[in-house]
């Protein structure tokens, strides 16, 4: 049996759902990547890269072209994010990754990119039905993942909220596509997103406070 066939073989069955090795391993690594992102560890990016490589097999076996495209994007953006955070660590005095809230202009650009991107990708999937059996959901997840990872690479707190919005569609789509482990992991993602968003928000407050203390009254 080849490595690809093994990855797409059934690992076990739980509650009537067939769990594939690729689905389980790829999403477990993705979960670790999100936790590393919460801790602002640069190793979040290699973990996201590896998760993307494995999940390509899972989504290909489920015939979800949008999911495959999403993971290919994850692979590419993970390489870019790794470079961005390496640069940020070199520029920081304490070697840590600085986080902040996006400006209103940045929020507008992210939102506009998400809307236009979803319409464009959804239109493409609708025009070529063989690319996806769920074109608009796939397009939403595809573009939402890209927006979230770009925001994460820039150290923006809003990236957590982008992941939350992706999860709201990702959970039911994963279960309906027989990727049960993906659906379960998305539920865990939800909890991590809430904790991560709170932690990063707190860090923006502590980083601003010392700067304000140095300003004369």
């Amino acid at each position: 049996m080849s490595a690809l066939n093994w990855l797409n073989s059934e690992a076990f069955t739980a509650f009537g759902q067939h769990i594939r090795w690729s689905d389980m391993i790829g999403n477990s690594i993705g979960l670790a990547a999100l936790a590393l992102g919460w801790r602002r560890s640069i190793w979040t990016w290699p973990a996201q890269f590896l998760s993307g490589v494995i999940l390509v097999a899972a989504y290909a076996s489920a015939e979800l072209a949008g999911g495959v495209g999403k993971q290919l994007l994850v692979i590419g953006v993970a390489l870019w994010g790794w470079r961005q955070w390496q640069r940020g660590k070199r520029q920081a005095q304490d070697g840590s990754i600085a986080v902040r809230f996006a400006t209103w202009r940045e929020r507008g650009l992210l939102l506009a990119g998400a809307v236009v991107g979803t319409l464009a990708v959804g239109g493409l999937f609708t025009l070529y039905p063989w690319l996806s059996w769920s074109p608009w959901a796939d397009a939403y997840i595809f573009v939402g993942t890209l927006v979230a990872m770009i925001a994460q690479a820039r150290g923006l707190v809003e990236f957590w909220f982008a992941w939350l919005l992706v999860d709201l569609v990702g959970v039911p789509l994963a279960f309906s596509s027989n990727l049960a482990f993906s659906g379960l992991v998305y539920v865990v993602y939800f909890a991590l997103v809430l904790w991560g968003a709170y932690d990063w928000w707190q860090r923006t407050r502590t980083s601003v406070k010392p700067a304000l203390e140095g300003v004369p009254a």
Side-chain angles (χ1 to χ4, degrees), residues 5 13 35 50 69 76 79 94 124 126 138 147 160 169 186 192 204:
N5 287 335
T13 301
L50 181 58
L79 294 173
D94 59 357
L124 179 66
T126 301
D138 260 351
V147 169
W160 293 104
V169 174
Y186 273 126
L192 276 178
T204 64

Side-chain angles (χ1 to χ4, degrees), residues 26 31 37 41 47-48 77 87 89 99 101 108 116 120 132 146 152 160 165 171 182:
L31 192 60
S41 169
Q48 289 191 49
V77 178
R87 183 182 302 168
K89 285 176 69 69
V99 297
F101 279 100
V116 173
S132 173
L146 177 60
Q152 181 186 5
W160 293 104
L165 293 174
V171 171
S182 290

Side-chain angles (χ1 to χ4, degrees), residues 14 45 86 111 119 169 185 193:
W45 299 107
Q86 280 185 319
L111 180 60
L119 291 174
V169 174
V185 167
V193 164

Side-chain angles (χ1 to χ4, degrees), residues 89-180:
K89 285 176 69 69
R90 287 195 299 267
Q91 294 175 348
Q93 293 181 351
D94 59 357
S96 64
I97 301 299
V99 297
R100 62 180 177 86
F101 279 100
T103 64
W104 283 108
R105 179 177 181 276
E106 289 172 323
R107 291 171 183 168
L109 289 173
L110 289 172
L111 180 60
V115 172
V116 173
T118 300
L119 291 174
V121 175
L124 179 66
F125 287 167
T126 301
L127 187 61
Y128 300 100
W130 58 270
L131 285 174
S132 173
W133 62 265
S134 184
W136 292 106
D138 260 351
Y140 176 89
I141 294 172
F142 183 96
V143 176
T145 297
L146 177 60
V147 169
M149 292 186 71
I150 289 175
Q152 181 186 5
R154 297 183 64 83
L156 303 179
V157 177
E158 282 79 2
F159 111 82
W160 293 104
F161 302 109
W163 270 126
L164 180 61
L165 293 174
V166 168
D167 287 355
L168 293 178
V169 174
V171 171
L173 182 63
F175 279 112
S176 65
S177 303
N178 295 318
L179 294 175

Side-chain angles (χ1 to χ4, degrees), residues 17-33:
Q17 295 284 339
H18 301 287
I19 309 299
R20 299 170 183 168
W21 284 109
S22 56
D23 188 23
M24 182 175 67
I25 296 173
N27 277 293
S28 296
I29 297 173
L31 192 60

